Structures are given as structure tokens and as C-alpha cells.
Amino acid sequence: MKPIKKIALLHDLCGVGKAALTNMMPILSIMGIEACPIPTMLLSTHTGGYGLPATLKIPGSYIRQCADHFKSQHVEFDAIFIGYLGHPDIIDAVIYFVEQFPGTRVIMDPIMGDHGSYYRNFDDSYGLALRKLLPFADIILPNLTECFLLTGRPFQITGDHRNVLALCRELQAYGAKDIVITSVPKDDCQKGIVLYEDQAFLYLGNGEMLGEYHGTGDAFDGMFLSKLLTGHTLLESVQASHAFVCACIRESEKYTYPEREGLLIEKTLRKLV
């Protein structure tokens, strides 16, 4: 019996500014999960607040060759995470990667936008391309904006959960299975979470007003994967992830430093040991 779980992370790597792989890997490691990075894009910094970063697109051929190499060496994963891909040319290669590991649980965060619009380097063609990945994912982790972008609907901030339920059903029609949606407002809660599991709809609210930091979603994803891979339910994994992110934000708010440096996870990580 293997002593630890192993997960493949198809995600971007930023040199400065805590985000993506640099946030997820330490969380997974300290939680006892072996994190295996397969970078999809290299950036000198994340894309918020540092100007235009130096970037290098990882070609799809590299992703395919990684899959082939792993298969030839009988490498197995307990899960595959699909995160920030950066360019649509790589999507077919990601599908190829997933197909080489049939039966492996796939979790996807379709990172492409927030606050009602695409990030500056994406447009509708990218959202349409990402939709091709939905049938391959067992769980997707979009924020509310990304739900609208995946469906092609115009964004609206709504506290009416019948609209969110309609989004979930439309995403299922495109092939999605279980869905966790973040940043869903309702009443006095601006950052609630929706779980849509086995067609059951659940809203988790939080009346606490907390700040926003770069890398928060990656911290959420890292803890979510850690809990999921150690046998926790979808609800338990979401609750633990939310609690961890809130703890990181509270710690970050104790200090004055440039927003672009992102979420302070280091001090909170020590409390997990």
C-alpha cells in the first residue's frame, strides 16, 4: 500500500507573487500529498499588479510527452488537477494527458476570469475551448464569473439561486458532473459557495467581510484537493478549504504590504503541522 497519495498538477508557474503552483504545492505537501507539477505556462510574475510579465507558453507536445513518459514508466496518479492553461492550443494535449490515465479522478478549476469578465489575456474563444474539458472532469471549481463564461451567458450578480441552479444544469448539459462555485452572493454574504453534487443544490454562506488577495483560489484548490484525496466528502473538503482560506486572509490583514504580493499562506501553513 502506498504511504501517500499522488496528484498531477497541470497548472502555471509564477516566479514572483504567490499564485498557482507556488501556492498549491506547499499546501498539498504539508497535508501529506505528493504534488507532481506539469507546468502549462511559465510567468515571471502573476498577471495582477506587476505589469506585463515575461511568459513562456508550454507547447502541447510537452504535455503529451509527459503523459507518454509517465505511462512508459508505469507512473500512476490518484488524481489529476487541471488549472490555468493560458492558451487554447494546449487544451487538446490536456485531453490527451487525461485519457492516458483512465479511471483517475479529474478536478478542474477553469481559471479565466473574475468580477464579471475575462482576464485581460482571454476572450470568448478561450471560454469555448475550455468547455471541451468539462466531460473529462469529475469535479469543476469555477467562480461565479467563470460559470457564466463557460455557458456563454452574460454575467449578472444575482442573489436568486434559481439562476445559479440553471447555470449548474447547463454546465451539466455540457458534460460537467459535480460542481463547486465560489464567490456566489446572497443577502449579506458576498462570497458564498454553491455545491451541486448528484443534482443536489447546497449554499454555504459566510457573513464575515474579508479582503481579496491574489492566489486565494489556488489556496482553496490546494486544501480542497488535500481533503478530497484523504477520504473526505465534497462538503467536508469545501468547508475545510473555506476555513483555511479565511484563516490565511485574516493573517494577511494583520500586515501592510503591496496587494500584488498575494495571500500570506506561510504563517497559516505552520498551523497545519
Side-chain angles (χ1 to χ4, degrees), residues 188-191 206-212 249-250 253:
D188 62 341
C189 175
Q190 296 302 308
K191 296 287 184 180
N206 177 18
E208 188 174 8
M209 297 297 291
L210 296 170
E212 292 191 17
I249 293 174
R250 291 188 206 104
E253 290 179 337

Side-chain angles (χ1 to χ4, degrees), residues 68 70 76 123 153 260:
D68 292 340
F70 296 151
E76 296 181 350
D123 57 24
R153 292 191 187 191
R260 66 185 188 177

Side-chain angles (χ1 to χ4, degrees), residues 147-174:
C147 285
F148 280 100
L149 298 178
L150 282 169
T151 60
R153 292 191 187 191
F155 178 77
Q156 58 176 326
I157 297 177
T158 174
D160 186 347
H161 287 170
R162 288 175 298 182
N163 294 333
V164 182
L165 177 58
L167 283 173
C168 291
R169 289 172 173 166
E170 190 167 345
L171 289 170
Q172 277 201 321
Y174 288 124

Side-chain angles (χ1 to χ4, degrees), residues 208-250:
E208 188 174 8
M209 297 297 291
L210 296 170
E212 292 191 17
Y213 291 86
H214 297 293
T216 300
D218 299 302
F220 182 96
D221 291 348
M223 182 56 70
F224 177 83
L225 294 168
S226 299
K227 289 295 183 178
L228 199 68
L229 286 177
T230 49
H232 293 79
T233 66
L234 192 66
L235 175 59
E236 291 168 343
S237 301
V238 167
Q239 290 172 325
S241 304
H242 178 69
F244 175 70
V245 167
C246 288
C248 289
I249 293 174
R250 291 188 206 104

Side-chain angles (χ1 to χ4, degrees), residues 59-112:
S61 58
Y62 173 76
I63 305 298
R64 292 172 184 269
Q65 288 166 17
C66 283
D68 292 340
H69 184 207
F70 296 151
K71 288 290 288 184
S72 72
Q73 296 303 307
H74 309 290
V75 174
E76 296 181 350
F77 299 106
D78 297 287
I80 297 169
F81 174 78
I82 302 171
Y84 184 94
L85 303 181
H87 54 105
D89 300 344
I90 204 173
I91 289 173
D92 285 342
V94 171
I95 291 173
Y96 177 85
F97 186 100
V98 170
E99 288 178 333
Q100 304 316 301
F101 302 94
T104 303
R105 181 182 282 183
V106 177
I107 301 94
M108 173 186 172
D109 186 342
I111 302 167
M112 58 179 160

